[in-house]
Every structure is written in structure tokens, then in C-alpha cells.
Amino acid sequence: MAAGGTLVAGSVLATAGVTSEGMAEADLEEPTGWSSSGGNPGNARYLPVDGEFPEPERVAWEYDQGGDIAVVDGRVYVCTTVSEGLPEVHALDAADGSVQWVSEELPVDETPAVAGDTVYVGGEQLSALDAADGSVRWTREFEVDDPTVSSPTVIYGRVYTVANGTLYALDPADGSTDWKRETAEIPDEEEEPRPLETEPVAVAGEQVYAVTADKEKVAAFDAATGETAWTSSTGETIRGPATATEQAVYIRSHAGYESLAFDPETGETSKIKGWGPAAATGEIRASYDEMGVYVSHLERGWNDMRGTSREYGDGGSVTIIGDTLVVTTATIWGQGETAYGFDLEDGTRRWDVPSKEDGIDVYKVQAVDEETLYDYGRDLPQPGGDRIRALRPAETDEGDDDAGDDRDREDEGEDGDQNEDDNDESETDSGDGREDGSSGDDPDGGDGADDSVEDDAPDEDEVC
């Protein structure tokens, strides 16, 4: 890589609970599945599965509430706003979209992060919910005039989040502060430290990567202690959040149709093709622009993997599932969305899902599991997602149809025969789910969960 980064040491504002190995003392399982914003702690939109990802050929189910989601252990967790404008967290059965529980009237509006048996959600505060029933385990408030807490990232026994420009590493058991950083240190003595952008951080290789609020620098912090590893001056305006693996860190650039790759040890920088959002695993990174889809190999440079004459637009997405790169595309007006599946190694196109005129209209991919694409279902040509759809291959039709028919009979009170429509798209009625008692959780504590804790952090921060 060409030189461009700088190395700097810094100090942290508070540290606690660090073992001799450098990791926090916490009984916390490492995240699995599509566990948080960007899919995993590195924001890398990558799900490790064996073999090829199958072609999604039909809509298995739809849910009539939209929002940002995580998918872990057979459940879909969605942060949504109901028609009355009150934010909620819903848990759905990934098999059929049925409502498992609803946690109501929480001040949340960020992508959930799931680790072990807990769901963590940002917004006006950080909330920790029991994954089994949605009851509130604890909440962490930050006493500022306009609190904004980013989507959290959970790994290495900590919850990492940025609240109003300060990076926090919190104890997942009670939300108390392990360490925090208010600024990124700059090696140039003439430059002041920079506050951080309030957005999801990327965590990989025992380092936390954040963008400064002026969108000019990327900072790397030790995940265990908060010490600054390096701060790299990009020389141009950048767009976060970062994408990280143990081998490299990637960030989008406003300058031309390029992105930047950083050495995780030194911060040294190189430019690579593709200015769109990225997906990455190991030394491989995928992105796109209107000219094509690019896969960048740290050792081999980049390949143009464009598999179609359709123009690529800023409305698409890239996702790596096992050895398959899934690309969704859109024209400038958002019409005619299409999904393609490529061999990640050589760029061979394995399958494509036709646009709405000929089949399923696939919009941006929100999340994935081993056999499902979850997208922002919407009614064209209106922009934005208004529901969640689960798209699956044809060979799962029999099981999905059975589950959907059972749910339809429950919701409609019918005994009738099984619906034999090959294109059955059963929808879950969130109102019915609530009438069945799925939402009876107290947002201030739920089912007896009055587990308030006292803050170990400085006085200006409060744990409720």
C-alpha cells in the first residue's frame, strides 16, 4: 500500500474490567448470523455459510411493518415505527414471519444488535431487551440536550456505540462504561483532536474503527483499552461508516468513483475502485458504481465483474453469502430492480432474479440467512421500504406454504383447504400478533424486569 497514514498513541478517559489477556470480563457469546448494522461487527455485509447461496425465486412471506433488521437464530428483529409514530421493536419467526413479541414505545430508531440472549438497540438511549420475550433488561441514557445513540456493535465482551460524538465501550450486563473516547487524537501538534461521527463503528482484529465528525479522518482504537492505534488523514472527504476485516479497513470517498483501503496495523492508505457501499471478507472487498461491480483483492488488484448491460445506480446493494456475491441493481428512478448472484472468486454469474415485469422485484437487501434474502419490500415507484419481505428458493415452497396457510387460517378464522397458489405471499398482521398477547411488555421493565443499575461512569452519564 502507498504511504498515507500516520501512527499515534493516545489516552482514554476511563477504563475498567480488563483482564490480563486484554479482553473484558463478560459472559457474552460472540455474535452469529446477521447480528447488527452491516451484518456483522465489521459492518462487512458478510455471512459465512458453506457453498453457494441459492437463487431466491419467490416471496415466502411479507410483514407489513418496515424498518432496520437483524436476523439471528431463526428470528428477525426489526426496529420500526407504527402508524401512531411510536417506535417499537418486533421479533418475528424467520420461518413464516409470525410475530413472537413486540416491545412497545421505546425511544429507539437504529438497527438492533443481537448477542447471546440480548437485543441491544440505539436511538435516544441504549436499550437492552431480553431476546426471548422483549422485556427491558436495562437502559442507558446519556445526559445531553439532543441524545443520539448509534446502532451498537457487540463483540469482545463489550457493546460499542457512539453517543453524540463520544465512542463508548459498555458492559453488556448493565450498560456501565468500560472506557470511552470523546475525540480522535491527531499526530500533528498544530491540529486539535477531532470529535467522532455518531454512526455505527466497525470492529475487527481487536480494533474499533470510527470516522471523525468532519469526515476527513479515520481513527483506529484498541478494542480492549480504547488507546489510539492510529489516525489516518485521507486528504479528502469520506463517507462512513467504515467496513473492516482483520486484513483491511475500507471507507467510501466523495472524490471521484473510488474508495480507500487502510492497513489495519499502520493506517497506510491505497485507492480502490467502486464508490458504493461495500461487502468484505478476508482480503476480498466488493463494491459498485454506475460502470460496474468491482471485487478488489488486496494482493491481486481489482476485477470488473459486471455481468449485465444494465446500469448500476446508487440504489443497489452488495452482500457476500458464503462464496456467492449477491448484487441488487436499480436504474436512476428506482424502477426494474434485479438481483444477481456471482461466484465470488471468478465472477461467473450463477443466477439472476428478473425485474418486476418478469418475476420478483428485488429491492435493496437488508439482511440474509442461509437461504433467505430479506429486502425492503415496497410499492414502486415510491422510494423507501414500507415492509419486510423474505425471498427464498423454490425448493422451500412446501414448508413455507404450510406455515403461511396455518397462519392465514388463524388470522381469518377459517378451517378451509390449503391455498395451492404457487405464488402465495402470506402476510403477517401485526395487530393480530398483539391481540394474541405478544406485546404485553412494559417498556420500563416489562415482565418484572426492574433491573436498574448504578452507573460506574463519570457523573455526566446515567444508567437508568
Side-chain angles (χ1 to χ4, degrees):
M1 290 186 177
T6 49
L7 186 66
V8 61
S11 60
V12 294
L13 299 177
T15 59
V18 180
T19 68
S20 59
E21 289 79 18
M23 289 291 101
E25 295 182 27
D27 184 16
L28 178 70
E29 298 176 20
E30 294 300 291
T32 59
W34 195 271
S35 62
S36 56
S37 177
N40 61 24
N43 292 331
R45 297 189 60 84
Y46 167 62
L47 184 70
V49 300
D50 293 331
E52 299 182 14
F53 184 79
E55 176 182 353
E57 297 176 288
R58 76 178 199 95
V59 178
W61 55 261
E62 294 187 8
Y63 188 59
D64 62 2
Q65 297 289 336
D68 297 321
I69 67 175
V71 184
V72 178
D73 293 336
R75 271 194 176 170
V76 178
Y77 301 90
V78 54
C79 182
T80 188
T81 299
V82 296
S83 58
E84 295 82 2
L86 301 175
E88 298 180 346
V89 179
H90 297 195
L92 314 177
D93 188 323
D96 59 18
S98 59
V99 178
Q100 303 298 293
W101 53 256
V102 174
S103 191
E104 297 182 305
E105 298 185 26
L106 289 170
V108 295
D109 59 7
E110 301 290 337
T111 307
V114 184
D117 58 0
T118 306
V119 182
Y120 304 88
V121 194
E124 294 181 14
Q125 64 183 28
L126 184 65
S127 302
L129 312 179
D130 189 316
D133 59 16
S135 59
V136 178
R137 290 184 161 171
W138 54 260
T139 62
R140 171 67 187 269
E141 294 184 353
F142 302 86
E143 291 189 351
V144 293
D145 293 337
D146 185 20
T148 302
V149 183
S150 72
S151 299
T153 300
V154 188
I155 192 174
Y156 303 142
R158 293 180 178 85
V159 181
Y160 300 95
T161 191
V162 181
N164 296 93
T166 297
L167 170 61
Y168 289 85
L170 304 177
D171 187 326
D174 58 18
S176 58
T177 300
D178 185 0
W179 58 259
K180 68 178 185 178
R181 291 300 305 256
E182 293 181 342
T183 59
E185 302 295 332
I186 309 301
D188 188 339
E189 295 182 358
E190 296 182 359
E191 291 195 53
E192 294 293 328
R194 308 289 179 90
L196 303 173
E197 182 73 2
T198 302
E199 63 184 3
V201 296
V203 188
E206 301 188 6
Q207 291 193 143
V208 183
Y209 301 98
V211 176
T212 58
D214 58 13
K215 299 185 182 299
E216 293 182 356
K217 303 180 186 300
V218 177
F221 304 99
D222 187 286
T225 67
E227 296 286 346
T228 303
W230 49 261
T231 301
S232 181
S233 298
T234 64
E236 53 196 70
T237 304
I238 55 178
R239 300 174 64 182
T243 296
T245 69
E246 292 188 2
Q247 290 76 20
V249 184
Y250 307 99
I251 197 80
R252 300 166 68 187
S253 170
H254 275 299
Y257 299 108
E258 295 178 315
S259 293
L260 304 172
F262 301 86
D263 186 303
E265 294 185 3
T266 66
E268 293 181 346
T269 311
S270 60
K271 293 185 176 182
I272 52 179
K273 290 286 186 179
W275 56 265
T281 174
E283 297 182 346
I284 300 176
R285 175 257 193 191
S287 185
Y288 65 87
D289 57 32
E290 76 276 11
M291 299 300 296
V293 177
Y294 304 95
V295 171
S296 302
H297 300 260
L298 289 184
E299 301 299 327
R300 291 188 286 154
W302 59 268
N303 295 318
D304 182 349
M305 283 180 50
R306 186 177 184 181
T308 174
S309 60
R310 178 185 298 277
E311 289 187 354
Y312 290 79
D314 199 22
S317 64
V318 289
T319 309
I320 300 174
I321 315 161
D323 64 2
T324 302
L325 171 63
V326 175
V327 179
T328 63
T329 69
T331 63
I332 190 170
W333 298 111
Q335 301 278 357
E337 287 81 354
T338 305
Y340 300 92
F342 296 96
D343 184 297
L344 182 63
E345 181 63 26
D346 62 20
T348 303
R349 195 166 85 188
R350 291 172 170 169
W351 49 260
D352 62 89
V353 178
S355 61
K356 188 173 185 178
E357 290 77 9
D358 303 311
I360 297 175
D361 167 37
V362 182
Y363 193 46
K364 289 182 181 179
V365 173
Q366 284 207 80
V368 300
D369 61 26
E370 287 79 1
E371 63 173 12
T372 309
L373 294 181
Y374 300 90
D375 79 342
Y376 296 93
R378 65 176 190 152
D379 294 320
L380 294 176
Q382 299 298 322
D386 54 14
R387 60 189 182 274
I388 299 167
R389 300 191 307 174
L391 311 178
R392 293 194 179 124
E395 56 263 28
T396 62
D397 281 0
E398 181 178 353
D400 288 337
D401 282 344
D402 290 343
D405 292 335
D406 289 341
R407 193 165 71 258
D408 289 342
R409 284 192 291 268
E410 262 184 47
D411 292 344
E412 299 174 11
E414 296 177 356
D415 303 340
D417 297 334
Q418 177 176 331
N419 184 352
E420 296 180 357
D421 182 358
D422 291 337
N423 293 318
D424 176 34
E425 297 179 11
S426 55
E427 294 190 11
T428 301
D429 187 334
S430 62
D432 289 344
R434 299 187 196 189
E435 289 171 6
D436 291 340
S438 60
S439 65
D441 300 314
D442 181 355
D444 292 326
D447 304 328
D450 186 16
D451 296 330
S452 299
V453 296
E454 300 208 357
D455 189 8
D456 292 336
D459 294 340
E460 71 270 19
D461 307 316
E462 178 183 355
V463 176
C464 296

